[in-house]
Amino acid sequence: FCRIPGSSPTVFLDKVCIHQADRTLQRAGIRKLGAFMRVSDRMLVLYSSVYLKRLWTVYEVASFITLHNVDQLELVPIV
């Protein structure tokens, strides 16, 4: 999770919260996705053509819709 000291996480930005280069840190972040999805009220995905080419982004969506109603998921394409 990305945390502000003294507060609970309210936003999860995978590009920021999941390490993009260090594989060990990346795996640790991916392992926490399900826990974050469980306590999330909704999910907003800003996606491009590469979004579903990463396994963890597919896992994000799958985890969320397994735990929540699909109407709590908003998909917004970006150019």
Coordinates of all heavy atoms in Angstrom, one line a residue:
F1 N 0.8 -1.2 0.0 CA 0.0 0.0 0.0 C 0.9 1.2 0.0 O 1.9 1.3 0.6 CB -0.9 0.1 1.2 CG -1.8 -1.1 1.4 CD1 -1.7 -2.0 2.4 CD2 -2.9 -1.3 0.5 CE1 -2.5 -3.1 2.5 CE2 -3.7 -2.3 0.6 CZ -3.6 -3.2 1.7
C2 N 0.4 2.3 -0.6 CA 1.0 3.6 -0.5 C 0.3 4.3 0.7 O -0.9 4.4 0.7 CB 0.8 4.4 -1.7 SG 1.8 3.7 -3.1
R3 N 1.0 4.7 1.7 CA 0.4 5.2 2.9 C 1.0 6.6 3.2 O 2.2 6.8 3.0 CB 0.6 4.4 4.1 CG -0.1 3.1 4.0 CD 0.1 2.3 5.3 NE -0.4 1.0 5.1 CZ -1.3 0.4 5.9 NH1 -1.7 1.0 6.9 NH2 -1.8 -0.8 5.6
I4 N 0.1 7.5 3.6 CA 0.6 8.8 4.1 C 0.7 8.5 5.6 O -0.2 8.0 6.2 CB -0.5 9.9 3.8 CG1 -0.6 10.0 2.3 CG2 -0.1 11.2 4.5 CD1 -1.7 10.9 1.9
P5 N 1.8 8.9 6.2 CA 2.0 8.6 7.6 C 0.8 9.2 8.5 O 0.4 10.3 8.3 CB 3.3 9.4 8.0 CG 4.1 9.4 6.7 CD 3.0 9.5 5.6
G6 N 0.3 8.3 9.3 CA -0.8 8.7 10.2 C -2.2 8.6 9.6 O -3.2 9.0 10.2
S7 N -2.3 8.0 8.4 CA -3.6 7.9 7.7 C -3.8 6.5 7.1 O -2.8 5.8 6.9 CB -3.8 9.0 6.7 OG -3.0 8.8 5.6
S8 N -5.0 6.2 6.7 CA -5.2 4.9 6.0 C -5.1 5.2 4.5 O -5.4 6.3 4.1 CB -6.7 4.5 6.3 OG -6.8 4.2 7.7
P9 N -4.8 4.2 3.7 CA -4.7 4.4 2.3 C -6.1 4.7 1.7 O -7.1 4.0 2.1 CB -4.1 3.1 1.8 CG -4.4 2.1 2.8 CD -4.4 2.8 4.1
T10 N -6.2 5.6 0.9 CA -7.5 5.9 0.2 C -7.4 5.8 -1.3 O -8.4 5.7 -1.9 CB -8.0 7.4 0.6 OG1 -7.0 8.3 0.2 CG2 -8.3 7.5 2.1
V11 N -6.2 5.8 -1.8 CA -6.0 5.7 -3.2 C -4.9 4.7 -3.5 O -3.9 4.8 -2.8 CB -5.7 7.1 -3.9 CG1 -5.4 6.9 -5.4 CG2 -6.8 8.1 -3.7
F12 N -5.1 3.9 -4.5 CA -4.0 2.9 -4.8 C -3.7 3.2 -6.3 O -4.6 3.0 -7.2 CB -4.5 1.5 -4.7 CG -3.5 0.5 -5.1 CD1 -2.6 0.0 -4.1 CD2 -3.5 0.0 -6.3 CE1 -1.6 -0.9 -4.5 CE2 -2.5 -1.0 -6.7 CZ -1.6 -1.5 -5.8
L13 N -2.6 3.6 -6.6 CA -2.1 3.9 -8.0 C -1.1 2.8 -8.3 O 0.0 2.9 -7.8 CB -1.5 5.3 -8.2 CG -2.5 6.4 -7.8 CD1 -1.7 7.7 -7.9 CD2 -3.6 6.5 -8.8
D14 N -1.5 1.8 -9.1 CA -0.5 0.7 -9.3 C 0.8 1.1 -9.9 O 1.8 0.6 -9.5 CB -1.2 -0.4 -10.1 CG -1.5 -0.1 -11.5 OD1 -1.3 1.0 -11.9 OD2 -1.9 -1.1 -12.2
K15 N 0.8 2.1 -10.7 CA 2.1 2.6 -11.3 C 3.0 3.1 -10.2 O 4.2 3.1 -10.4 CB 1.8 3.7 -12.3 CG 2.9 4.1 -13.1 CD 3.2 3.1 -14.2 CE 4.3 3.7 -15.2 NZ 4.6 2.8 -16.3
V16 N 2.5 3.6 -9.1 CA 3.2 4.2 -8.0 C 3.4 3.2 -6.9 O 4.5 3.1 -6.3 CB 2.5 5.5 -7.5 CG1 3.3 6.1 -6.3 CG2 2.4 6.5 -8.6
C17 N 2.4 2.4 -6.6 CA 2.4 1.5 -5.5 C 3.1 0.2 -5.7 O 3.5 -0.5 -4.8 CB 1.0 1.3 -4.9 SG 0.3 2.8 -4.3
I18 N 3.1 -0.2 -7.0 CA 3.8 -1.5 -7.4 C 5.1 -1.1 -8.1 O 5.1 -0.4 -9.1 CB 2.9 -2.3 -8.3 CG1 1.7 -2.8 -7.5 CG2 3.7 -3.6 -8.8 CD1 0.7 -3.6 -8.2
H19 N 6.2 -1.5 -7.5 CA 7.5 -1.2 -8.1 C 7.6 -1.6 -9.5 O 7.2 -2.8 -9.9 CB 8.6 -1.8 -7.2 CG 9.9 -1.1 -7.4 ND1 10.7 -1.2 -8.5 CD2 10.5 -0.2 -6.5 CE1 11.8 -0.4 -8.3 NE2 11.7 0.2 -7.1
Q20 N 8.1 -0.8 -10.4 CA 8.1 -1.1 -11.8 C 9.4 -1.7 -12.3 O 9.4 -2.3 -13.4 CB 7.9 0.2 -12.6 CG 6.6 0.9 -12.3 CD 5.4 0.1 -12.7 OE1 5.2 -0.3 -13.8 NE2 4.5 -0.2 -11.7
A21 N 10.5 -1.7 -11.5 CA 11.7 -2.3 -11.9 C 12.2 -3.4 -11.1 O 12.7 -4.4 -11.6 CB 12.8 -1.2 -11.9
D22 N 12.1 -3.3 -9.8 CA 12.7 -4.4 -8.8 C 11.6 -5.5 -8.7 O 10.5 -5.3 -8.2 CB 12.9 -3.7 -7.5 CG 13.5 -4.7 -6.5 OD1 12.9 -5.8 -6.3 OD2 14.6 -4.4 -5.9
R23 N 12.0 -6.7 -9.3 CA 11.0 -7.8 -9.3 C 10.6 -8.3 -7.9 O 9.5 -8.7 -7.7 CB 11.6 -9.0 -10.1 CG 11.8 -8.7 -11.5 CD 10.5 -8.6 -12.2 NE 10.7 -8.5 -13.6 CZ 9.7 -8.3 -14.5 NH1 8.5 -8.2 -14.1 NH2 10.0 -8.2 -15.8
T24 N 11.5 -8.2 -6.9 CA 11.1 -8.7 -5.6 C 10.1 -7.7 -5.0 O 9.1 -8.2 -4.4 CB 12.4 -8.7 -4.7 OG1 13.3 -9.7 -5.3 CG2 12.0 -9.2 -3.3
L25 N 10.3 -6.4 -5.1 CA 9.4 -5.5 -4.6 C 8.1 -5.5 -5.4 O 7.0 -5.3 -4.8 CB 10.0 -4.1 -4.6 CG 11.1 -3.8 -3.7 CD1 11.7 -2.4 -3.9 CD2 10.7 -4.0 -2.2
Q26 N 8.2 -5.8 -6.7 CA 7.0 -5.9 -7.5 C 6.1 -7.0 -7.1 O 4.9 -6.9 -6.9 CB 7.4 -6.0 -9.0 CG 6.3 -6.0 -10.0 CD 6.8 -6.1 -11.4 OE1 7.3 -7.2 -11.7 NE2 6.7 -5.1 -12.2
R27 N 6.7 -8.2 -6.9 CA 5.9 -9.3 -6.4 C 5.3 -9.1 -5.1 O 4.1 -9.4 -4.8 CB 6.8 -10.6 -6.3 CG 7.0 -11.3 -7.6 CD 7.7 -12.6 -7.5 NE 9.1 -12.6 -7.1 CZ 10.1 -12.4 -8.0 NH1 9.8 -12.3 -9.3 NH2 11.3 -12.3 -7.6
A28 N 6.0 -8.4 -4.2 CA 5.4 -8.1 -2.8 C 4.2 -7.2 -3.0 O 3.2 -7.4 -2.3 CB 6.5 -7.4 -2.0
G29 N 4.3 -6.2 -3.9 CA 3.1 -5.3 -4.1 C 2.0 -6.0 -4.7 O 0.8 -5.8 -4.4
I30 N 2.2 -6.9 -5.7 CA 1.2 -7.7 -6.3 C 0.5 -8.6 -5.3 O -0.8 -8.7 -5.4 CB 1.7 -8.4 -7.5 CG1 2.2 -7.5 -8.6 CG2 0.7 -9.4 -8.1 CD1 3.0 -8.1 -9.7
R31 N 1.2 -9.2 -4.4 CA 0.6 -10.0 -3.4 C -0.4 -9.3 -2.5 O -1.3 -9.9 -1.9 CB 1.7 -10.7 -2.5 CG 2.4 -11.8 -3.2 CD 3.3 -12.5 -2.2 NE 4.2 -13.3 -3.0 CZ 5.5 -13.1 -3.1 NH1 6.1 -12.1 -2.5 NH2 6.3 -13.8 -3.8
K32 N -0.2 -8.0 -2.4 CA -1.1 -7.2 -1.5 C -2.4 -6.7 -2.3 O -3.3 -6.1 -1.7 CB -0.4 -6.0 -1.0 CG 0.8 -6.3 -0.2 CD 0.5 -7.0 1.1 CE 1.7 -7.2 1.9 NZ 1.4 -7.9 3.2
L33 N -2.5 -6.9 -3.6 CA -3.6 -6.4 -4.4 C -4.9 -6.9 -3.9 O -5.9 -6.1 -3.7 CB -3.4 -6.7 -5.8 CG -2.4 -5.9 -6.6 CD1 -2.3 -6.5 -8.0 CD2 -2.8 -4.5 -6.7
G34 N -5.0 -8.1 -3.6 CA -6.3 -8.7 -3.1 C -6.8 -8.1 -1.8 O -8.0 -7.8 -1.7
A35 N -5.9 -7.8 -0.9 CA -6.2 -7.2 0.4 C -6.7 -5.8 0.1 O -7.7 -5.4 0.7 CB -5.0 -7.2 1.3
F36 N -6.1 -5.1 -0.7 CA -6.5 -3.7 -1.0 C -7.9 -3.7 -1.7 O -8.8 -2.9 -1.4 CB -5.5 -2.9 -1.9 CG -5.8 -1.5 -2.0 CD1 -5.4 -0.6 -0.9 CD2 -6.6 -1.0 -3.0 CE1 -5.7 0.7 -1.0 CE2 -6.9 0.4 -3.1 CZ -6.4 1.2 -2.1
M37 N -8.1 -4.6 -2.6 CA -9.4 -4.7 -3.3 C -10.5 -5.1 -2.4 O -11.6 -4.6 -2.5 CB -9.3 -5.8 -4.4 CG -8.4 -5.4 -5.5 SD -8.8 -3.9 -6.3 CE -7.3 -3.6 -7.2
R38 N -10.2 -5.9 -1.4 CA -11.2 -6.3 -0.4 C -11.8 -5.1 0.4 O -13.0 -5.0 0.7 CB -10.7 -7.3 0.6 CG -11.7 -7.9 1.5 CD -11.1 -9.1 2.4 NE -9.7 -9.1 2.7 CZ -8.8 -9.8 2.1 NH1 -9.1 -10.6 1.1 NH2 -7.5 -9.8 2.4
V39 N -11.0 -4.1 0.7 CA -11.4 -3.0 1.5 C -11.8 -1.8 0.6 O -12.2 -0.7 1.1 CB -10.4 -2.6 2.5 CG1 -10.2 -3.7 3.5 CG2 -9.1 -2.1 1.9
S40 N -11.7 -1.9 -0.7 CA -12.1 -0.8 -1.6 C -13.6 -0.8 -1.9 O -14.2 -1.8 -1.9 CB -11.3 -1.0 -2.9 OG -10.0 -1.0 -2.8
D41 N -14.1 0.4 -2.0 CA -15.5 0.6 -2.3 C -15.8 0.6 -3.8 O -16.9 0.2 -4.2 CB -16.0 2.0 -1.7 CG -15.9 2.0 -0.2 OD1 -16.2 1.0 0.4 OD2 -15.6 3.1 0.4
R42 N -14.8 1.1 -4.5 CA -15.0 1.2 -6.0 C -13.6 1.2 -6.6 O -12.6 1.3 -6.0 CB -15.8 2.4 -6.4 CG -15.2 3.7 -6.2 CD -16.1 4.8 -6.6 NE -15.3 6.1 -6.7 CZ -14.9 6.6 -7.9 NH1 -15.2 6.0 -9.0 NH2 -14.2 7.7 -7.9
M43 N -13.6 0.9 -7.9 CA -12.4 0.9 -8.7 C -12.6 1.7 -10.0 O -13.5 1.5 -10.7 CB -12.0 -0.5 -9.0 CG -10.7 -0.7 -9.8 SD -10.3 -2.4 -9.9 CE -8.8 -2.3 -10.8
L44 N -11.6 2.6 -10.2 CA -11.6 3.4 -11.4 C -10.3 3.0 -12.2 O -9.2 3.1 -11.6 CB -11.5 4.9 -11.1 CG -11.3 5.8 -12.3 CD1 -12.4 5.8 -13.3 CD2 -11.0 7.3 -11.7
V45 N -10.5 2.5 -13.4 CA -9.4 2.1 -14.2 C -9.3 3.1 -15.4 O -10.2 3.2 -16.2 CB -9.6 0.7 -14.8 CG1 -8.5 0.3 -15.7 CG2 -9.7 -0.3 -13.6
L46 N -8.1 3.7 -15.4 CA -7.8 4.6 -16.6 C -6.9 3.7 -17.4 O -5.7 3.4 -17.0 CB -7.1 5.9 -16.1 CG -7.8 6.7 -15.1 CD1 -7.0 7.9 -14.7 CD2 -9.1 7.2 -15.7
Y47 N -7.4 3.2 -18.6 CA -6.6 2.2 -19.3 C -6.2 2.7 -20.7 O -6.9 3.5 -21.3 CB -7.4 0.9 -19.3 CG -8.6 0.9 -20.2 CD1 -8.5 0.5 -21.6 CD2 -9.8 1.3 -19.8 CE1 -9.6 0.5 -22.4 CE2 -10.9 1.3 -20.6 CZ -10.8 0.9 -21.9 OH -11.9 0.9 -22.7
S48 N -5.1 2.1 -21.2 CA -4.7 2.2 -22.5 C -4.5 0.9 -23.1 O -4.9 -0.1 -22.5 CB -3.3 3.0 -22.5 OG -2.3 2.2 -22.0
S49 N -4.0 0.8 -24.3 CA -3.9 -0.5 -25.0 C -3.0 -1.5 -24.3 O -3.0 -2.7 -24.5 CB -3.4 -0.3 -26.4 OG -2.1 0.3 -26.4
V50 N -2.1 -1.0 -23.4 CA -1.2 -1.9 -22.7 C -1.7 -2.4 -21.3 O -1.1 -3.3 -20.7 CB 0.2 -1.2 -22.4 CG1 0.9 -0.9 -23.7 CG2 0.1 0.0 -21.5
Y51 N -2.9 -1.9 -20.9 CA -3.4 -2.2 -19.6 C -3.6 -3.7 -19.4 O -3.1 -4.3 -18.4 CB -4.7 -1.5 -19.3 CG -5.2 -1.7 -17.9 CD1 -4.6 -1.1 -16.8 CD2 -6.2 -2.7 -17.7 CE1 -5.1 -1.4 -15.5 CE2 -6.7 -2.9 -16.4 CZ -6.1 -2.3 -15.3 OH -6.6 -2.5 -14.0
L52 N -4.2 -4.4 -20.3 CA -4.5 -5.8 -20.1 C -3.3 -6.7 -20.5 O -3.4 -7.9 -20.6 CB -5.8 -6.2 -20.8 CG -7.0 -5.6 -20.1 CD1 -8.3 -5.9 -20.9 CD2 -7.2 -6.0 -18.7
K53 N -2.2 -6.1 -20.9 CA -1.0 -6.9 -21.3 C -0.1 -7.2 -20.1 O 0.8 -8.0 -20.2 CB -0.2 -6.2 -22.3 CG -1.0 -6.1 -23.6 CD -0.2 -5.4 -24.7 CE -1.0 -5.3 -26.0 NZ -0.3 -4.6 -27.0
R54 N -0.4 -6.7 -18.9 CA 0.3 -7.0 -17.7 C -0.6 -7.9 -16.8 O -1.7 -7.6 -16.6 CB 0.6 -5.7 -16.9 CG 1.6 -4.8 -17.6 CD 2.0 -3.6 -16.7 NE 2.9 -2.7 -17.4 CZ 2.5 -1.5 -17.7 NH1 1.4 -1.0 -17.3 NH2 3.4 -0.7 -18.3
L55 N 0.0 -9.0 -16.4 CA -0.7 -9.9 -15.6 C -1.3 -9.3 -14.3 O -2.5 -9.6 -14.0 CB 0.2 -11.1 -15.2 CG -0.5 -12.3 -14.5 CD1 -1.7 -12.8 -15.2 CD2 0.5 -13.4 -14.2
W56 N -0.6 -8.4 -13.6 CA -1.1 -7.9 -12.4 C -2.3 -7.0 -12.6 O -3.2 -6.8 -11.8 CB -0.1 -7.2 -11.5 CG 0.4 -5.9 -11.8 CD1 -0.4 -4.7 -11.6 CD2 1.6 -5.4 -12.4 NE1 0.3 -3.6 -12.0 CE2 1.5 -4.0 -12.5 CE3 2.7 -6.1 -12.8 CZ2 2.6 -3.3 -13.0 CZ3 3.8 -5.3 -13.3 CH2 3.7 -4.0 -13.4
T57 N -2.4 -6.3 -13.8 CA -3.6 -5.5 -14.0 C -4.8 -6.3 -14.3 O -5.9 -5.9 -13.9 CB -3.3 -4.4 -15.1 OG1 -2.9 -5.1 -16.3 CG2 -2.2 -3.5 -14.7
V58 N -4.6 -7.4 -14.9 CA -5.8 -8.4 -15.1 C -6.2 -8.9 -13.7 O -7.4 -9.0 -13.4 CB -5.4 -9.5 -16.1 CG1 -6.5 -10.6 -16.1 CG2 -5.0 -9.0 -17.5
Y59 N -5.2 -9.2 -12.9 CA -5.5 -9.7 -11.6 C -6.2 -8.6 -10.7 O -7.1 -9.0 -10.0 CB -4.2 -10.1 -10.9 CG -4.3 -10.6 -9.5 CD1 -5.0 -11.7 -9.2 CD2 -3.8 -9.8 -8.4 CE1 -5.1 -12.2 -7.9 CE2 -3.9 -10.3 -7.1 CZ -4.6 -11.4 -6.8 OH -4.7 -11.9 -5.6
E60 N -5.9 -7.4 -10.9 CA -6.6 -6.3 -10.2 C -8.0 -6.3 -10.5 O -8.9 -6.3 -9.6 CB -6.0 -4.9 -10.6 CG -4.7 -4.5 -10.1 CD -4.2 -3.2 -10.7 OE1 -4.7 -2.7 -11.7 OE2 -3.4 -2.6 -10.0
V61 N -8.4 -6.3 -11.8 CA -9.8 -6.3 -12.2 C -10.5 -7.6 -11.8 O -11.6 -7.5 -11.2 CB -9.9 -6.1 -13.7 CG1 -11.3 -6.3 -14.2 CG2 -9.3 -4.7 -14.1
A62 N -9.9 -8.7 -11.9 CA -10.5 -10.0 -11.5 C -10.7 -10.0 -10.0 O -11.8 -10.4 -9.6 CB -9.6 -11.1 -12.0
S63 N -9.8 -9.6 -9.3 CA -9.9 -9.5 -7.8 C -11.1 -8.6 -7.4 O -11.9 -9.0 -6.6 CB -8.7 -9.0 -7.1 OG -7.6 -9.9 -7.3
F64 N -11.2 -7.5 -8.0 CA -12.2 -6.5 -7.7 C -13.6 -7.1 -8.0 O -14.5 -7.0 -7.2 CB -12.0 -5.2 -8.4 CG -12.9 -4.1 -7.9 CD1 -12.6 -3.4 -6.7 CD2 -14.1 -3.8 -8.5 CE1 -13.5 -2.5 -6.2 CE2 -15.0 -2.9 -8.0 CZ -14.7 -2.2 -6.8
I65 N -13.8 -7.6 -9.2 CA -15.1 -8.0 -9.6 C -15.5 -9.3 -8.9 O -16.7 -9.7 -8.8 CB -15.3 -8.1 -11.1 CG1 -14.4 -9.1 -11.8 CG2 -15.2 -6.7 -11.7 CD1 -14.6 -9.3 -13.3
T66 N -14.5 -10.1 -8.4 CA -14.8 -11.2 -7.6 C -15.4 -10.8 -6.2 O -16.3 -11.5 -5.7 CB -13.6 -12.1 -7.4 OG1 -13.1 -12.6 -8.6 CG2 -13.8 -13.3 -6.4
L67 N -14.9 -9.7 -5.7 CA -15.3 -9.2 -4.4 C -16.4 -8.2 -4.3 O -17.0 -8.0 -3.3 CB -14.1 -8.6 -3.7 CG -12.9 -9.5 -3.4 CD1 -11.6 -8.7 -3.1 CD2 -13.2 -10.5 -2.4
H68 N -16.7 -7.6 -5.5 CA -17.7 -6.5 -5.5 C -18.6 -6.6 -6.8 O -18.3 -7.4 -7.7 CB -16.9 -5.1 -5.6 CG -16.0 -4.9 -4.5 ND1 -16.4 -4.5 -3.2 CD2 -14.6 -5.0 -4.4 CE1 -15.4 -4.4 -2.5 NE2 -14.3 -4.7 -3.1
N69 N -19.6 -5.8 -6.8 CA -20.5 -5.8 -7.9 C -19.8 -5.1 -9.1 O -19.0 -4.1 -8.8 CB -21.8 -5.0 -7.6 CG -22.7 -5.7 -6.6 OD1 -22.7 -7.0 -6.6 ND2 -23.3 -5.0 -5.8
V70 N -20.0 -5.6 -10.3 CA -19.3 -5.0 -11.4 C -19.7 -3.5 -11.6 O -18.9 -2.7 -12.2 CB -19.6 -5.8 -12.7 CG1 -21.0 -5.6 -13.2 CG2 -18.6 -5.5 -13.8
D71 N -20.8 -3.1 -11.1 CA -21.2 -1.7 -11.3 C -20.4 -0.7 -10.4 O -20.4 0.5 -10.5 CB -22.7 -1.4 -11.0 CG -23.2 -1.8 -9.6 OD1 -22.4 -2.5 -8.9 OD2 -24.3 -1.4 -9.2
Q72 N -19.5 -1.3 -9.5 CA -18.6 -0.5 -8.7 C -17.3 -0.3 -9.4 O -16.4 0.3 -8.9 CB -18.4 -1.2 -7.4 CG -19.6 -1.1 -6.5 CD -19.5 -2.0 -5.3 OE1 -19.5 -3.2 -5.3 NE2 -19.2 -1.4 -4.2
L73 N -17.2 -0.9 -10.6 CA -16.0 -0.8 -11.5 C -16.3 0.2 -12.6 O -17.2 0.0 -13.3 CB -15.6 -2.1 -12.0 CG -14.5 -2.2 -13.1 CD1 -13.1 -1.8 -12.5 CD2 -14.4 -3.6 -13.6
E74 N -15.4 1.2 -12.8 CA -15.5 2.2 -13.9 C -14.3 2.1 -14.7 O -13.2 2.2 -14.3 CB -15.7 3.6 -13.3 CG -16.0 4.6 -14.4 CD -16.2 6.0 -13.8 OE1 -16.3 6.1 -12.6 OE2 -16.3 6.9 -14.7
L75 N -14.5 1.8 -16.0 CA -13.4 1.8 -17.0 C -13.4 3.0 -17.9 O -14.4 3.3 -18.5 CB -13.5 0.5 -17.9 CG -13.6 -0.8 -17.1 CD1 -13.9 -1.9 -18.0 CD2 -12.2 -1.1 -16.4
V76 N -12.3 3.7 -17.9 CA -12.2 4.9 -18.7 C -11.0 4.8 -19.6 O -9.9 4.7 -19.1 CB -12.1 6.2 -17.8 CG1 -11.9 7.4 -18.6 CG2 -13.2 6.3 -16.8
P77 N -11.2 4.8 -20.9 CA -10.1 4.7 -21.8 C -9.3 6.1 -21.9 O -9.9 7.1 -21.8 CB -10.7 4.4 -23.2 CG -12.1 4.9 -23.1 CD -12.5 4.8 -21.6
I78 N -8.0 6.0 -22.0 CA -7.2 7.2 -22.2 C -6.5 7.1 -23.5 O -6.3 6.0 -24.1 CB -6.2 7.4 -21.0 CG1 -5.2 6.2 -20.9 CG2 -6.9 7.7 -19.7 CD1 -4.1 6.4 -19.9
V79 N -6.1 8.2 -24.1 CA -5.5 8.2 -25.4 C -4.0 8.3 -25.2 O -3.5 8.9 -24.4 CB -6.0 9.4 -26.2 CG1 -5.4 9.3 -27.6 CG2 -7.5 9.3 -26.3

